[in-house]
């Protein structure tokens, strides 16, 4: 590692499973324990190296000009570096290095990730858990996961065979045609990372197949937590993952994303306020799919509450990158081969724009990294989308500084907007969107001279006609 790489780590990486900062701390054996923990942490997070760095404050990451002395002897004449190497298993070549950065002395160890076996110190294996160095035997799930990684047994959507091999791809080929992606029967699977090394369908093929038997849930609660009254549960999926994602995102945009309009009389302009930012939601949900741990056989879920929504997925981006790397938009999904195919359908940008898009609308607090094997993104609702929560004074202060007039849409107008966005919307979905009973929705439609149902009750669609057509 050169000086520029060291500076990059200090500036961009907080302490994590494979990075530890110290001021001038030294303890003959505890440093050896940290080497074990960081070596194992690097393997767990799929990094080539772990880093133990002296001369950096662990909170502010400001340089402290360390006084740490490593060129010394222990046990009556043995060099400290040799002492550490001798007590590490398997042996690691411990080589202390130092740099002068902005006039401050920095000492560091670049520690190879564990390979084949878990790294121990004096026959005890260590790992970083949160901000603590712990014996790995106390965390059997982490130990099992690490052994799986070292043995090459970790679940992979690319390497693991599909649960079934009798797959069909009718919906997937429709997407290929829609996005003008050239393919033949001979290259469709290999070009889209759908085959294992022995030519069998893998989990990526399973996910893009018509037989993908997993649901993507939207669950609504009346209050602000899951302890509140359950309202409904809606499921998408049991089909090609591309369609499942599109159906769920379309539902969230056209049914759940309430819009209210404000009219500025001074400027003769209208401003629409949405419940949540649809671009940010789309990016967050696709990110959840790509970072999901599919070995759980559970897709990401959306939970709707009175004041916010949550996107929950198993797995976490911190398994392959640090929190800082994630927040600056580093593109490193847990399932890279799946992400590669997603880019063809404009579902994912490998530039890392997804997180940046979210942070353009919300702050970093929307990301919850507190759980080891799951990840949650939370968006607070825009109160300006609720008439019952916004007073005229709030509107005047937050929307425009001039005279502002609220224009309340009739229920019929709201239904017309929903139908224009999605003509196949159901009565139940209209009911959920405008917070009215299905009977009330039916009554509004019956009294409307603009909303018309075409074809049969079960396979039809809604059509909006203008008043002139109706009069004629």
């Amino acid at each position: 590692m050169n000086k520029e790489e060291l500076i990059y780590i200090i500036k961009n990486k907080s302490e994590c499973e494979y990075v530890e900062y110290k001021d001038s701390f030294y303890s003959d054996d505890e440093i050896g324990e940290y080497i074990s923990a960081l070596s194992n942490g690097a393997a767990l997070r799929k990094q080539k190296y772990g880093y133990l760095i002296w001369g950096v404050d662990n909170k502010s990451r400001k340089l402290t000009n360390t006084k740490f002395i490593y060129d010394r002897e222990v046990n009556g004449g043995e060099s400290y570096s040799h002492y550490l190497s001798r007590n590490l298993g398997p042996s690691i070549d411990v080589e202390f290095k130092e740099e002068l950065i902005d006039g401050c002395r920095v000492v560091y160890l670049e520690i190879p990730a564990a390979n084949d076996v878990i790294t121990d110190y004096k026959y005890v294996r260590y790992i970083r858990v949160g901000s603590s160095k712990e014996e790995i035997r106390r965390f059997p799930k982490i130990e099992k996961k690490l052994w799986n990684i070292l043995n090459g047994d970790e679940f992979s959507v690319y390497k693991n065979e599909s649960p079934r091999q009798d797959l069909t791809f009718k919906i997937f080929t429709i997407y290929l045609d829609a996005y003008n992606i050239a393919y033949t029967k001979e290259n469709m699977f290999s070009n889209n990372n759908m085959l294992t090394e022995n030519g069998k369908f893998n989990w990526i093929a399973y996910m893009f197949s018509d037989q993908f038997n997993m649901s993507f849930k939207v669950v609504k609660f009346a209050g602000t937590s899951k302890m509140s009254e359950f309202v409904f549960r809606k499921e998408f999926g049991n089909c090609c993952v591309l369609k499942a994602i599109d159906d769920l995102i379309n539902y969230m945009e056209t049914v759940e994303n309430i819009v209210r309009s404000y009219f500025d009389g001074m400027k003769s302009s209208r401003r629409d306020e949405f419940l949540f930012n649809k671009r940010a939601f789309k990016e967050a949900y696709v990110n959840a799919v790509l970072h999901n741990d599919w070995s759980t056989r559970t897709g990401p879920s959306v939970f709707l509450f009175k004041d916010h929504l949550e996107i929950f997925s198993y797995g976490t981006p911190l398994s392959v990158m640090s929190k800082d790397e994630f927040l600056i938009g580093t593109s490193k999904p847990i399932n890279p081969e799946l992400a590669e195919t997603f880019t063809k359908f404009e579902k994912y940008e490998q530039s890392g724009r997804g997180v940046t898009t979210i942070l353009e609308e919300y702050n970093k607090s929307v990301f919850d990294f507190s759980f080891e094997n799951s990840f949650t993104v939370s968006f607070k609702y825009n109160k300006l989308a609720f008439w019952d929560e916004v007073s005229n004074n709030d509107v005047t202060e937050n929307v425009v500084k001039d005279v502002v007039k609220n224009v309340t849409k009739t229920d019929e107008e709201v239904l017309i907007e929903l139908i224009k966005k999605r003509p196949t919307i159901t009565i139940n979905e209209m009911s959920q969107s405008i917070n009215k009973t299905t009977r009330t929705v039916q009554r509004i439609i019956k009294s409307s001279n603009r909303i018309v149902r075409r074809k049969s009750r079960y396979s039809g669609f809604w059509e909006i006609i203008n008043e002139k057509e109706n009069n004629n």
Side-chain angles (χ1 to χ4, degrees), residues 260-264 269-271 273 384 387 390 395 406:
R260 293 291 183 261
S261 299
Y262 298 92
F263 182 74
D264 181 353
S269 62
R270 189 183 80 172
R271 173 170 177 167
E273 294 288 342
L384 293 176
W387 286 115
V390 183
V395 174
N406 291 348

Side-chain angles (χ1 to χ4, degrees), residues 34-221:
Y34 270 110
I35 293 173
S36 166
L38 295 168
S39 174
N40 295 327
L44 193 65
R45 296 309 180 204
K46 300 180 177 65
Q47 304 294 315
K48 291 183 178 180
Y49 297 97
Y51 304 95
L52 181 53
I53 303 173
W54 288 265
V56 180
D57 181 80
N58 67 339
K59 294 182 179 179
S60 67
R61 297 209 296 276
K62 291 182 178 179
L63 303 179
T64 62
N65 195 26
T66 184
K67 304 297 189 295
F68 173 62
I69 303 299
Y70 58 85
D71 188 12
R72 55 194 175 87
E73 294 182 349
V74 294
N75 292 340
E78 184 179 13
S79 74
Y80 183 51
S81 295
H82 185 269
Y83 173 80
L84 291 173
S85 296
R86 179 170 59 82
N87 285 292
L88 286 164
S91 180
I92 292 176
D93 184 17
V94 177
E95 183 181 359
F96 290 94
K97 298 179 181 179
E98 62 179 88
E99 293 283 356
L100 200 63
I101 303 175
D102 295 335
C104 294
R105 179 173 176 261
V106 177
V107 176
Y108 66 94
L109 283 174
E110 188 176 39
I111 304 161
N115 185 26
D116 293 330
V117 296
I118 297 177
T119 303
D120 66 63
Y121 181 76
K122 290 190 172 181
Y123 305 105
V124 180
R125 297 161 176 161
Y126 295 90
I127 195 72
R128 275 287 300 268
V129 178
S131 59
S132 302
K133 167 176 58 66
E134 304 283 353
E135 293 184 24
I136 200 170
R137 63 180 177 82
R138 296 182 55 233
F139 301 89
K141 288 185 178 179
I142 297 179
E143 185 173 20
K144 180 180 178 181
K145 182 176 182 179
L146 181 54
W147 274 121
N148 286 340
I149 291 172
L150 297 176
N151 292 332
D153 297 331
E154 186 185 28
F155 178 86
S156 164
V157 293
Y158 180 62
K159 295 179 180 179
N160 281 65
E161 287 187 14
S162 165
R164 52 189 294 182
Q165 294 295 314
D166 57 333
L167 304 179
T168 60
F169 300 90
K170 291 180 180 179
I171 295 176
F172 182 67
T173 55
I174 291 172
Y175 272 87
L176 289 172
D177 293 335
Y179 284 85
N180 296 314
I181 300 172
Y183 67 95
T184 65
K185 291 183 178 179
E186 290 72 29
N187 66 22
M188 182 175 76
F189 304 128
S190 58
N191 285 358
N192 292 290
N193 301 315
M194 293 182 172
L195 301 175
T196 63
E197 291 182 354
N198 59 5
K200 297 281 186 126
F201 284 135
N202 58 21
W203 259 75
I204 294 178
Y206 180 50
M207 293 175 70
F208 286 120
S209 74
D210 304 317
Q211 289 75 32
F212 184 45
N213 188 27
M214 288 192 194
S215 65
F216 297 70
K217 301 176 183 64
V218 176
V219 184
K220 193 167 191 175
F221 296 89

Side-chain angles (χ1 to χ4, degrees), residues 359-377:
L359 293 179
E360 286 173 356
E361 303 295 334
Y362 302 93
N363 61 40
K364 297 177 181 179
S365 66
V366 302
F367 301 112
D368 183 359
F369 300 96
S370 58
F371 295 96
E372 179 189 342
N373 294 314
S374 65
F375 184 54
T376 302
V377 182

Side-chain angles (χ1 to χ4, degrees), residues 345-458:
F345 301 96
E346 301 174 11
K347 295 285 186 290
Y348 176 71
E349 293 185 37
Q350 292 186 329
S351 62
R353 274 288 302 164
V355 172
T356 305
T357 297
I358 295 170
L359 293 179
E360 286 173 356
E361 303 295 334
Y362 302 93
N363 61 40
K364 297 177 181 179
S365 66
V366 302
F367 301 112
D368 183 359
F369 300 96
S370 58
F371 295 96
E372 179 189 342
N373 294 314
S374 65
F375 184 54
T376 302
V377 182
S378 302
F379 295 146
K380 288 188 178 299
Y381 291 152
N382 175 12
K383 289 187 176 182
L384 293 176
F386 292 112
W387 286 115
D388 58 347
E389 294 192 17
V390 183
S391 67
N392 287 336
N393 288 335
D394 289 329
V395 174
T396 303
E397 292 175 3
N398 297 317
V399 182
V400 291
K401 295 180 180 179
D402 302 314
V403 178
V404 177
K405 180 182 178 184
N406 291 348
V407 179
T408 307
K409 297 176 183 177
T410 65
D411 289 331
E412 180 193 28
E413 289 172 329
V414 175
L415 291 184
I416 287 172
E417 285 195 356
L418 291 172
I419 290 168
K420 284 180 178 180
K421 289 181 179 178
R422 189 157 64 94
T424 57
I425 188 171
T426 66
I427 293 287
N428 283 336
E429 290 170 342
M430 293 183 196
S431 168
Q432 294 163 12
S433 179
I434 67 173
N435 293 317
K436 304 282 186 183
T437 65
T438 55
R439 177 174 286 181
T440 299
V441 171
Q442 290 169 335
R443 187 166 59 248
I444 295 168
I445 293 173
K446 186 175 181 180
S447 63
S448 172
N449 61 358
R450 298 189 61 197
I451 302 174
V452 178
R453 183 71 174 171
R454 300 297 189 192
K455 296 187 179 179
S456 72
R457 178 183 175 188
Y458 297 102

